[in-house]
Amino acid sequence: MSESLYPVPEAWANRARVDAAGYARLHGRSLADPGSFWLEQAKRLEWVKRPELAGDWSFDEADFHIRWFADGKLNVSANCIDRHLATRGNDVAILWEPDAPDEPSRSYTYRQLHAEVCRFANVLKAQGVAKGDRVTVYLPMIPEAAFALLACARIGAVHSVVFGGFSPEALAGRITDCDSKIVITADEGRRGGKKVPLKANVDAAQQHAPAMQTVIVVKATGGDVAMQPGRDIWYHEAAAQVSAVCPPEPMGAEDPLFLLYTSGSTGKPKGVLHTSAGYLLWVSYTHELVFDYRPGQVYWCAADIGWVTGHSYIVYGPLANGATTLMYEGVPNWPDASRIWQVVDRHKVEILYTAPTALRALMAEGDEFVAKTSRESLRLLGTVGEPINPEAWRWYHDVVGAGRCPIVDTWWQTETGGALIAPLPGATALKPGSATLPLPGVDPQLVDAEGEVLHGATEGNLCIARSWPGQMRTVWGDHARFFQTYFTTYRGKYFTGDGCRRDADGYYWITGRVDDVINVSGHRMGTAEVESALVLHPKVAEAAVVGMPHAIKGQGIYAYVTLNSGEEPSDDLRKVLRDWVRQEIGPIATPDAVQFAPGLPKTRSGKIMRRILRKIAEGDVSSLGDTSTLADPAVVDNLVANRVG
Ligand code: 6R9
């Protein structure tokens, strides 16, 4: 790992909102006196009723609870829209760049956003959606996706966005889990010149999602879709019937804002629940601090709204700060590997936030795609989703940013709401590959396997020792699972599932997941989910899935499959199984390698020894460790001999 240091550039130091000493003071005060610190920060929001309480929480089983600003009242959409109208109503709120570069972009001022969101909210109300109801959003990256989220927030409905790349089966599971009676979708999505049949997927989901009663369809491409009378409604027709005024519903600080399903190490995806005030405060505060956002700047988070990054840093954080947030419909490498940089030039983007996997893919295409663009508007670069390898970091810094732009490597999770460990560009010297230091209010601890807290330069499991306002509040419908998943591994602490090293300067280096979660192109995939999909296939008896190193994706999916007796392994079947998983979950879950295995390495109690499977998938077969506890040590030789790749 690289330990080279990139000091804060002089231009940044001179205009820093927070300098190095300021950061140390801020962090110190946030931990020493959290009550007054957070009540003061709470002033950055507009409240219907200002809170007098800050954090009220306990991670202990007997008294387990997490609440922030619990006596306050506010509306999230009013904070993201209405309160900006007087001062910047004519500033651009959302700048939309379409998939095809020759199509015109679109922009919405805060005033126009207000009208669009009110109209959308009234359409939802007309369909009977009330405070607390769940609304599933299955949309492409079009402005209506942001309108839909903010419309839910306006009337107090709880949105649950399902990524447009997920299959009908995955969509149905998420609709059913939260009992969502209404789904908002589009005729089709577009990505990289290809159509995504969203409405057809919703139709296919219906048989497994009986809760679904109403489907609101946004006309995005004008493609042919079958409308089911009594269930399906065109958004544009419904919107023409309602007014563009909808007063925001005053919400309790702890009223739910949204659900977002994410993969864990066991079971089906969990509905991570975020509430209103603490979440909004966290994303607004961190968006301003970490990106040093200043009014008038064009800011671009190139994530999809289907992931938490899109929620927090395309929609809620930037809009709460009155920013101009760019929303891009397409993919980074279409029509060619220059597209991102062309969009930067077209819209004079100053802050760009993307994922290491995209950078590695673009880097592999060669520097000329970057060099032929100007990028002179850029002043800050960000990354998120997985550890960034120092080579990609340097390319981002030297080639994309021409050595001029600091890189903020932001570590966080769906569960954390927003960034927890990240540099402040005017305060923190950078080290390629390190997310650097904790943000104010964040108290990281590294612990060993027994839960002993490790001090100084060390490596261990990353826990957070106290609550922060943006923390998730529960797993939808299963509060016991919330406690069990995050607070029982190490008593009294939130366990992230990540391994981490801390160096002598106190910098944090995330080393990756230590549980059974694979990070594929910055997206979380639970091994258990892929395994469940594989064993649903009639020819499969058993499956075990692990991560393997992948040059572009960071990690790939390696599946060991035991067939039912009488079934013959073949390359055709390998392809059938890959397509099967793709159909069951979605393209991101497609295994990169499928190895047929007559047996899996198991302990005498029947537990699969994933450590061994990981080593073989990595190609590191010289150090398989102790295999003597296996029920049948001979299976290992077979696995090694038939390794794929
Ligand atoms: C925001 C997001 C969370 C997991 C997390 C960790 C990995 C995210 C990272 C990073 C190293 C970073 N991760 N950011 N690892 N450096 N800057 O990605 O949320 O999809 O829930 O994934 O991603 O392993 O635990 P989510």
Side-chain angles (χ1 to χ4, degrees):
M1 256 177 244
S2 152
E3 294 281 350
S4 53
L5 199 68
Y6 288 67
V8 176
E10 206 178 292
W12 277 82
N14 291 340
R15 54 173 291 191
R17 271 201 185 103
V18 181
D19 61 11
Y23 161 74
R25 269 199 309 277
L26 209 54
H27 190 257
R29 196 156 65 78
S30 72
L31 298 191
D33 190 2
S36 72
F37 182 86
W38 286 114
L39 285 176
E40 192 183 313
Q41 296 307 326
K43 292 182 185 151
R44 63 186 295 117
L45 300 183
E46 183 185 82
W47 299 84
V48 175
K49 180 186 176 294
R50 192 174 280 284
E52 283 164 30
L53 304 169
D56 169 14
W57 56 273
S58 162
F59 292 169
D60 293 330
E61 184 158 23
D63 183 30
F64 180 62
H65 69 281
I66 302 169
R67 288 189 284 267
W68 283 87
F69 313 113
D71 61 333
K73 274 193 173 5
L74 82 184
N75 180 280
V76 167
S77 93
N79 269 277
C80 291
I81 309 169
D82 306 43
R83 68 162 161 156
H84 305 312
L85 293 179
T87 48
R88 47 177 76 123
N90 297 326
D91 290 1
V92 174
I94 295 177
L95 191 51
W96 180 73
E97 168 73 16
D99 189 46
D102 51 3
E103 274 178 34
S105 46
R106 279 196 249 156
S107 67
Y108 296 84
T109 63
Y110 275 92
R111 205 172 306 287
Q112 290 168 323
L113 179 64
H114 182 258
E116 295 284 354
V117 169
C118 285
R119 229 180 252 292
F120 215 124
N122 283 330
V123 167
L124 293 176
K125 274 187 175 169
Q127 292 306 317
V129 177
K131 184 169 169 174
D133 290 351
R134 278 77 59 212
V135 173
T136 299
V137 177
Y138 187 60
L139 282 172
M141 285 292 289
I142 54 178
E144 285 79 0
F147 306 160
L149 267 48
L150 292 160
C152 288
R154 197 158 187 92
I155 63 173
V158 181
H159 59 72
S160 165
V161 180
V162 178
F163 174 55
F166 277 128
S167 68
E169 284 77 8
L171 171 64
R174 287 156 171 81
I175 292 170
T176 303
D177 185 78
C178 69
D179 192 27
S180 153
K181 302 198 169 41
I182 186 156
V183 176
I184 303 171
T185 191
D187 44 6
E188 296 170 315
R190 303 184 307 177
R191 272 167 72 83
K194 296 195 196 95
K195 300 274 172 70
V196 186
L198 295 173
K199 173 62 167 62
N201 287 351
V202 172
D203 293 342
Q206 176 82 68
Q207 63 175 125
H208 304 292
M212 178 165 86
Q213 290 168 1
T214 305
V215 180
I216 297 180
V217 187
V218 175
K219 200 187 259 295
T221 64
D224 247 358
V225 290
M227 295 295 276
Q228 185 177 307
R231 190 195 68 178
D232 299 348
I233 295 159
W234 281 112
Y235 176 70
H236 62 275
E237 289 176 5
Q241 317 273 318
V242 297
S243 101
V245 178
C246 172
E249 182 76 25
M251 302 293 287
E254 285 296 339
D255 282 338
L257 178 63
F258 69 82
L259 278 174
L260 185 59
Y261 285 85
T262 189
S263 298
S265 49
T266 55
K268 36 179 195 121
K270 309 181 270 290
V272 167
L273 183 96
H274 282 287
T275 57
S276 299
Y279 170 81
L280 189 68
L281 180 66
W282 193 258
V283 296
S284 144
Y285 182 57
T286 54
H287 173 262
E288 185 179 285
L289 265 187
V290 175
F291 298 108
D292 187 50
Y293 187 81
R294 312 214 179 193
Q297 295 179 332
V298 176
Y299 158 90
W300 180 16
C301 167
D304 191 285
I305 224 158
W307 310 109
V308 72
T309 307
H311 286 59
S312 300
Y313 295 116
I314 295 177
V315 180
Y316 289 115
L319 294 177
N321 292 340
T324 297
T325 181
L326 192 145
M327 203 175 163
Y328 172 45
E329 187 180 26
V331 296
N333 55 359
W334 187 81
D336 67 31
S338 234
R339 183 67 189 276
I340 289 207
W341 325 121
Q342 286 163 2
V343 175
V344 165
D345 286 348
R346 179 189 286 190
H347 298 292
K348 305 278 176 289
V349 171
E350 296 193 37
I351 303 166
L352 174 69
Y353 189 31
T354 187
T357 185
L359 296 171
R360 286 192 299 266
L362 296 174
M363 186 167 85
E365 300 292 323
D367 294 1
E368 59 276 16
F369 287 101
V370 187
K372 68 183 181 197
T373 61
S374 148
R375 290 158 287 104
E376 103 196 324
S377 57
L378 285 176
R379 51 189 297 279
L380 182 66
L381 303 169
T383 118
V384 60
E386 53 176 317
I388 182 164
N389 46 311
E391 194 195 354
W393 195 100
R394 287 207 188 81
W395 185 77
Y396 202 20
H397 186 268
D398 298 346
V399 178
V400 174
R404 198 178 67 234
C405 308
I407 295 178
V408 290
D409 176 353
T410 62
W411 173 84
W412 59 292
Q413 310 179 296
T414 307
E415 294 87 337
T416 71
L420 294 197
I421 302 181
L424 306 189
T428 318
L430 305 173
K431 299 184 187 187
S434 170
T436 76
L437 300 170
L439 293 175
V442 178
D443 188 7
Q445 282 185 350
L446 301 185
V447 301
D448 67 13
E450 280 69 52
E452 271 323 305
V453 178
L454 306 167
H455 297 282
T458 187
E459 186 164 344
N461 298 319
L462 177 62
C463 294
I464 311 292
R466 57 170 89 196
S467 184
W468 63 99
Q471 184 169 27
M472 75 181 279
R473 299 298 197 264
T474 194
V475 170
W476 182 261
D478 200 347
H479 199 55
R481 187 174 173 201
F482 176 47
F483 181 75
Q484 163 67 32
T485 306
Y486 301 102
F487 302 92
T488 55
T489 319
Y490 304 111
R491 296 270 159 201
K493 304 180 207 305
Y494 168 79
F495 177 43
T496 64
D498 281 334
C500 184
R501 180 169 75 85
R502 185 173 49 219
D503 70 18
D505 297 324
Y507 276 44
Y508 289 84
W509 302 73
I510 307 297
T511 53
R513 301 288 303 196
V514 294
D515 55 9
D516 292 322
V517 171
I518 309 178
N519 193 326
V520 187
S521 301
H523 302 312
R524 278 161 69 166
M525 241 9 275
T527 53
E529 263 173 273
V530 184
E531 288 162 6
S532 317
L534 282 165
V535 296
L536 278 177
H537 191 277
K539 294 190 174 172
V540 173
E542 195 171 30
V545 166
V546 297
M548 63 177 215
H550 188 289
I552 302 291
K553 300 180 185 179
Q555 278 191 302
I557 297 177
Y558 193 108
Y560 297 88
V561 173
T562 306
L563 296 175
N564 285 321
S565 65
E567 301 297 346
E568 282 302 313
S570 68
D571 283 343
D572 279 349
L573 184 54
R574 204 172 257 139
K575 182 173 181 313
V576 166
L577 293 178
R578 297 180 70 228
D579 288 347
W580 175 267
V581 175
R582 193 185 169 87
Q583 284 295 322
E584 283 292 320
I585 307 178
I588 54 164
T590 313
D592 296 276
V594 174
Q595 174 171 355
F596 293 108
L600 296 172
K602 291 185 188 168
T603 61
R604 275 175 251 265
S605 63
K607 206 170 183 309
I608 294 174
M609 292 191 69
R610 292 171 178 281
R611 174 178 57 80
I612 293 173
L613 294 178
R614 273 190 215 111
K615 289 268 182 196
I616 296 171
E618 282 164 17
D620 179 12
V621 294
S622 59
S623 58
L624 292 179
D626 183 11
T627 54
S628 63
T629 56
L630 290 175
D632 177 10
V635 299
V636 174
D637 298 334
N638 178 290
L639 291 176
V640 170
N642 292 298
R643 194 180 161 264
V644 182

